[in-house]
Amino acid sequence: MITIYDLAKKTGFSSTTVSKALNNYPDVSKKTKQAIIDTAAEMGYLPNAHAQSLSTKKSWTIGVMFSESNGVGMKHPFFSGVIESFRKHAEKEGYDLILASRNLRNRGTSYLEHFLYRGVDGIMVICSDPKDPQVQEMINSSIPIVVIDMSNQECSVVFSDNLSGGELAINYLYSLGHTKIAHIAGDHTIYAGKIRIKGYMDAMKKRELPVRDGYLVNGGLFSIQDGALAMEKLLDLADPPTAVFVAGDHMAIGAMETAKARGYRIPEDLSIIGYDDIEMASYVTPKLTTIKQDTDQIGVRATQLLMKQIIQKKKIVTEEIIPVTLMERESCTRLKK
């Protein structure tokens, strides 16, 4: 079995330096740390997790609780992108993730009880329902925690600038000459849906544009099917819009398919802008103009905030708002006069 002393002999560094490098101590240079890590990988060295836990009083694990309303789960590119970014950066800090099973709810065990039993050093939560009692139980516990895609919580939270994103979409459509702008919204009980609605309403008010009857449609749980049904309602109006801001790319793709099936040309007859910038947005026809959420940066900041709490051994109450950007493609055009 390979030991730290074997690594020290192979690399020429002291056993103390090797130990510090493997435990990510800041007083070891990046070059030295990388050389030791590369050699450890080459020699097949794996630290004894139990011994490591005893010496550091850490389990080197982070619990992940993921729960959303539409049943898509981690197949949704936003959620999978955030979790992958978090995993990648947490692993760089020496941590493994424990993803809690949804079946816990059916077994009479709370997520907090499960994570306490597993001895995790911290918890990362992605949940679309801020009132979820199990989420609140974890937030109110003493375990370091970071929550994604929520606001106004007594803990560390990280989320996209959904308010500015909604305004950015409307301002872009307005710059193209559109004034009859509708919004296919995510359900208002979901934090992101509610804030994007506010962004839409605020931008329309600032531009002194009326929100006409029927122009704000509940698109439900951000699915392709929900977007398709919502677009049917808009196109059935006596005075349909010339542009639509859709609160999610999946919904936008469904909305585009409905419009095309009804004989509308996109963007010549109807401009559509989405939200998320999922990979599929670049491959549909026409390519979808959208508001990009930076899933990698959300994961990075979530990792940093959780690591800070673990190191300081205290919870931090703060909000990190991650900027969004406009991705101009082919689904929007200037209104013909």
Side-chain angles (χ1 to χ4, degrees):
M1 180 178 176
I2 305 298
T3 68
I4 281 180
Y5 302 103
D6 296 320
L7 288 176
K9 186 176 180 180
K10 178 77 172 178
T11 60
F13 297 109
S14 70
S15 58
T16 300
T17 300
V18 170
S19 178
K20 284 184 174 183
L22 293 174
N23 286 286
N24 205 29
Y25 276 64
D27 58 344
V28 179
S29 72
K30 287 185 178 179
K31 184 178 179 181
T32 298
K33 191 182 297 182
Q34 193 59 53
I36 291 170
I37 289 171
D38 290 345
T39 303
E42 178 188 321
M43 297 179 69
Y45 169 80
L46 291 173
N48 184 303
H50 181 64
Q52 193 177 47
S53 295
L54 289 175
S55 63
T56 62
K57 293 183 171 58
K58 289 182 180 180
S59 68
W60 296 98
T61 58
I62 293 171
V64 177
M65 182 269 195
F66 172 61
S67 176
E68 44 74 50
S69 304
N70 60 17
V72 174
M74 279 188 286
K75 287 189 291 185
H76 192 288
F78 171 75
F79 298 121
S80 60
V82 170
I83 290 176
E84 174 58 20
S85 172
F86 183 86
R87 180 201 63 77
K88 181 172 63 177
H89 292 95
E91 285 184 353
K92 286 181 180 178
E93 299 293 335
Y95 283 86
D96 291 323
L97 304 189
I98 296 175
L99 186 62
S101 168
R102 288 186 178 187
N103 292 332
L104 286 175
R105 293 183 188 267
N106 302 324
R107 296 205 302 256
T109 301
S110 74
Y111 285 102
L112 179 60
E113 288 170 336
H114 178 70
F115 289 139
L116 287 171
Y117 175 75
R118 299 297 295 268
V120 301
D121 296 327
I123 300 171
M124 190 268 268
V125 172
I126 300 182
C127 182
S128 59
D129 181 8
K131 295 180 181 178
D132 187 312
Q134 295 219 28
V135 172
Q136 291 303 316
E137 183 184 32
M138 287 185 286
I139 289 173
N140 294 327
S141 75
S142 60
I143 299 179
I145 187 170
V146 62
V147 177
I148 308 295
D149 227 21
M150 283 191 206
S151 181
N152 300 318
Q153 303 295 321
E154 289 300 310
C155 64
S156 293
V157 294
V158 183
F159 54 90
S160 287
D161 195 346
N162 291 295
L163 187 65
S164 293
E167 293 186 3
L168 183 60
I170 302 312
N171 290 339
Y172 175 67
L173 293 172
Y174 181 80
S175 74
L176 296 176
H178 295 278
T179 57
K180 293 162 58 178
I181 304 171
H183 180 37
I184 295 178
D187 193 276
H188 67 88
T189 62
I190 297 171
Y191 173 75
K194 179 176 71 174
I195 301 303
R196 289 171 203 170
I197 291 171
K198 188 176 188 312
Y200 165 74
M201 298 296 287
D202 286 355
M204 295 292 281
K205 185 176 181 180
K206 286 177 185 176
R207 296 291 185 180
E208 297 183 343
L209 301 176
V211 178
R212 302 165 192 252
D213 288 345
Y215 272 32
L216 180 58
V217 184
N218 187 343
L221 300 177
F222 294 87
S223 71
I224 291 174
Q225 294 79 6
D226 288 330
L229 291 172
M231 181 58 85
E232 291 280 9
K233 294 177 183 177
L234 288 174
L235 299 183
D236 284 341
L237 294 172
D239 186 20
T242 63
V244 183
F245 163 43
V246 190
D249 285 349
H250 277 148
M251 288 196 297
I253 290 167
M256 284 203 304
E257 290 306 305
T258 289
K260 287 191 282 187
R262 295 273 294 258
Y264 282 76
R265 296 170 302 158
I266 300 170
E268 293 85 356
D269 302 323
L270 182 66
S271 288
I272 296 177
I273 184 169
Y275 204 106
D276 284 332
D277 193 32
I278 64 175
E279 185 178 15
M280 198 189 309
S282 298
Y283 294 96
V284 293
T285 305
K287 294 181 173 67
L288 181 64
T289 294
T290 188
I291 305 298
K292 177 182 178 65
Q293 298 198 80
D294 192 339
T295 54
D296 186 62
Q297 191 59 26
I298 291 171
V300 168
R301 290 302 296 135
T303 308
Q304 291 171 342
L305 281 171
L306 193 56
M307 292 302 111
K308 187 175 181 180
Q309 293 175 75
I310 291 171
I311 292 167
Q312 294 183 356
K313 294 185 169 67
K314 67 176 183 179
K315 295 178 74 169
I316 298 171
V317 179
T318 187
E319 287 189 348
E320 290 278 344
I321 304 174
I322 307 301
V324 295
T325 52
L326 172 68
M327 304 297 292
E328 292 186 71
R329 295 194 179 102
E330 301 170 352
S331 63
C332 297
T333 194
R334 184 166 295 279
L335 182 67
K336 294 177 182 178
K337 295 183 179 180

